[in-house]
Amino acid sequence: MKWFFILSVIAWTGKPVRSSCPFEMSPARVVVRFGDPISVNCSSELDRIESMGWESVVGGTGTQFNVSSVVLEVESVKSWELRPICFINPVVGDQCSQTLSVTVYNLPESVSISQPSEMGPMVEGKQYRMQCDIVNVKPLRNLTVHWHKGNKIIATDTFDQSSPSFPVNTSSFYDLTAQRGDNGTEIWCDAKLDFLPDLHTIHSKSREVIVLYSPAFTKPENETLELSARSEIILNCTAEGNPTPVYSWHLPHAIQQNNQNENQPVLTPSPQLPGTYNCTASNSQGTQTKYFTVIEATRNYTTLAALLGVGLSLGAVLFVGLLFLLTPEGSFYCSKGSYMPGRPTSSGPV
Ligand SMILES: *[C@@H]1O[C@H](CO)[C@@H](O)[C@H](O)[C@H]1NC(C)=O
Ligand SMILES: *[C@@H]1O[C@H](CO)[C@@H](O)[C@H](O)[C@H]1NC(C)=O
Ligand SMILES: *[C@@H]1O[C@H](CO)[C@@H](O)[C@H](O)[C@H]1NC(C)=O
Ligand SMILES: *[C@@H]1O[C@H](CO)[C@@H](O)[C@H](O)[C@H]1NC(C)=O
Ligand SMILES: *[C@@H]1O[C@H](CO)[C@@H](O)[C@H](O)[C@H]1NC(C)=O
């Protein structure tokens, strides 16, 4: 046993006694979950082997003679650190050995998301530190944590500190600056060991983000509207905010006050009169005001004239076209020259 110990020490110092032994390990390296079995065949094509064996805390074979392969068999790996060594004593020459690379891993027992200040609604523009806790994971350096928001990965965290030889608890942090667009989205984290397929990824529960934000008008510009005989003017003050904004209107004429439901985002003044109207949309996060300038239609006949103009132009075009057809020998210049002066235009009253 002492002999094996010395052998191990030599292996650890990285100075193989002899480098010429052709070792064959199958599998070449082992990644095993704590508690699972392993079976590794160490063989050699060396011609003359006196003896060989596995030296290991568990599953060691002792020295075996007249063999060209030895199998390390562990029913259940119950150790976090395992360094089995396969050794060969050739008939001629020095002993040689090779250490098997074994990674004993533990999937996170739990992955959970938390926020230090008990997760109430967030406020737009403020920053919140979210925390993802991963319990009992090994090896830490192979852990990857992803942060998800909606269907996007917003951050990836790795832990490259020298891995302890036992499972540990760790946390990943994400600083979220609350934005109005985040309201209603889900945030969660997941943890995985990079050498395992995605199937073994462990997800936290998701958190719904609620963001409080001040009202913003759907149409933010002030508006100027012209009174018209044919249609009513509609003042649209719709705003989006969380909580839902409340509205209040300031109307220029006392007579209009009684006729309105003041808390509506959209208002149709009655009677329809010129003046400056304004509305405010407000909630706990702020107040916004929008102005509407309603003016008299200055030239009531413009529309009519425009219509008339369009009609006349169409008529003229048809007329010219007809003439062109009817006088096949007449040149284009001729007909155009003759009738152009009479052509009315659509630009205003003639
Ligand atoms: C170990 O490997 C050698 C060489 O490939 C093979 O001959 C032998 O059958 C293997 N032993 C076991 C138990 O699989
Ligand atoms: C764990 O991560 C280290 C460092 O990135 C890497 O060298 C090693 O191969 C990984 N372990 C496994 C089993 O893939
Ligand atoms: C990790 O956290 C778990 C549960 O909170 C606890 O039982 C365990 O002792 C912790 N492990 C370490 C290494 O701190
Ligand atoms: C914010 O999200 C909550 C929860 O999904 C939802 O009930 C609310 O309507 C949203 N508010 C706005 C203004 O989108
Ligand atoms: C709307 O008009 C008010 C008052 O004239 C002005 O203070 C404000 O900046 C204007 N808003 C926009 C978006 O133009």
Side-chain angles (χ1 to χ4, degrees):
M1 269 312 184
K2 195 183 248 171
W3 181 77
F4 286 140
F5 178 71
I6 291 164
L7 184 67
S8 309
V9 170
I10 289 166
W12 277 333
T13 54
K15 284 182 221 149
V17 186
R18 176 191 162 133
S19 55
S20 55
C21 284
F23 277 98
E24 175 81 40
M25 299 262 200
S26 172
R29 65 187 297 205
V30 172
V31 178
V32 62
R33 188 175 181 169
F34 188 81
D36 281 0
I38 60 175
S39 167
V40 184
N41 185 354
C42 173
S43 58
S44 179
E45 280 171 3
L46 204 63
D47 275 345
R48 300 168 67 213
I49 297 173
E50 183 203 280
S51 61
M52 65 187 293
W54 277 104
E55 152 65 355
S56 171
V57 185
V58 280
T61 59
T63 307
Q64 301 194 350
F65 295 87
N66 297 319
V67 292
S68 60
S69 68
V70 279
V71 177
L72 171 81
E73 205 95 49
V74 183
E75 248 179 52
S76 167
V77 175
K78 286 284 169 57
S79 157
W80 292 112
E81 205 77 2
L82 218 54
R83 296 184 140 268
I85 295 163
C86 181
F87 61 87
I88 292 173
N89 294 311
V91 174
V92 182
D94 295 327
Q95 184 184 68
C96 43
S97 69
Q98 188 163 312
T99 306
L100 174 70
S101 152
V102 179
T103 304
V104 183
Y105 69 86
N106 202 47
L107 285 172
E109 231 163 69
S110 72
V111 175
S112 55
I113 192 169
S114 66
Q115 187 200 311
S117 56
E118 198 42 57
M119 192 129 160
M122 299 182 176
V123 173
E124 184 180 37
K126 288 202 175 161
Q127 188 171 292
Y128 296 87
R129 172 154 284 203
M130 322 269 298
Q131 185 174 340
C132 181
D133 296 317
I134 299 109
V135 172
N136 270 339
V137 67
K138 179 184 181 286
L140 192 57
R141 64 158 177 228
N142 298 94
L143 179 70
T144 302
V145 172
H146 290 299
W147 283 90
H148 300 257
K149 185 171 86 179
N151 52 11
K152 281 204 198 90
I153 293 177
I154 48 174
T156 301
D157 213 354
T158 53
F159 306 79
D160 54 6
Q161 56 255 67
S162 62
S163 259
S165 58
F166 47 85
V168 292
N169 298 336
T170 191
S171 297
S172 169
F173 297 94
Y174 179 72
D175 289 329
L176 177 78
T177 302
Q179 288 162 338
R180 52 185 63 208
D182 292 337
N183 184 58
T185 61
E186 304 276 337
I187 285 204
W188 75 96
C189 60
D190 68 35
K192 69 168 292 190
L193 291 169
D194 56 19
F195 49 77
L196 294 178
D198 286 347
L199 177 71
H200 299 283
T201 304
I202 297 177
H203 301 256
S204 74
K205 285 192 181 138
S206 64
R207 290 272 192 158
E208 187 180 43
V209 176
I210 305 290
V211 181
L212 302 180
Y213 56 95
S214 63
F217 296 113
T218 315
K219 237 179 114 184
E221 320 78 45
N222 292 331
E223 292 181 47
T224 300
L225 300 104
E226 202 169 272
L227 283 171
S228 129
R230 287 179 304 119
S231 62
E232 284 185 319
I233 54 164
I234 295 165
L235 310 179
N236 190 346
C237 183
T238 308
E240 209 200 299
N242 196 15
T244 306
V246 293
Y247 300 91
S248 78
W249 288 88
H250 178 264
L251 311 175
H253 307 282
I255 187 176
Q256 296 171 312
Q257 302 285 352
N258 302 327
N259 302 331
Q260 305 303 332
N261 182 354
E262 279 253 328
N263 295 323
Q264 293 304 306
V266 178
L267 181 110
T268 308
S270 161
Q272 303 238 314
L273 294 171
T276 300
Y277 297 70
N278 70 52
C279 86
T280 62
S282 51
N283 65 12
S284 57
Q285 306 311 114
T287 297
Q288 296 289 326
T289 304
K290 175 170 174 173
Y291 294 84
F292 298 87
T293 310
V294 175
I295 54 173
E296 296 270 18
T298 43
R299 297 176 300 276
N300 271 336
Y301 50 87
T302 356
T303 340
L304 190 67
L307 277 173
L308 200 67
V310 169
L312 284 175
S313 311
L314 268 176
V317 166
L318 276 175
F319 188 52
V320 169
L322 266 177
L323 270 171
F324 194 67
L325 280 176
L326 286 175
T327 53
E329 74 278 15
S331 79
F332 181 72
Y333 279 114
C334 173
S335 45
K336 196 183 177 190
S338 312
Y339 298 100
M340 266 303 274
R343 206 178 87 182
T345 66
S346 59
S347 54
V350 208

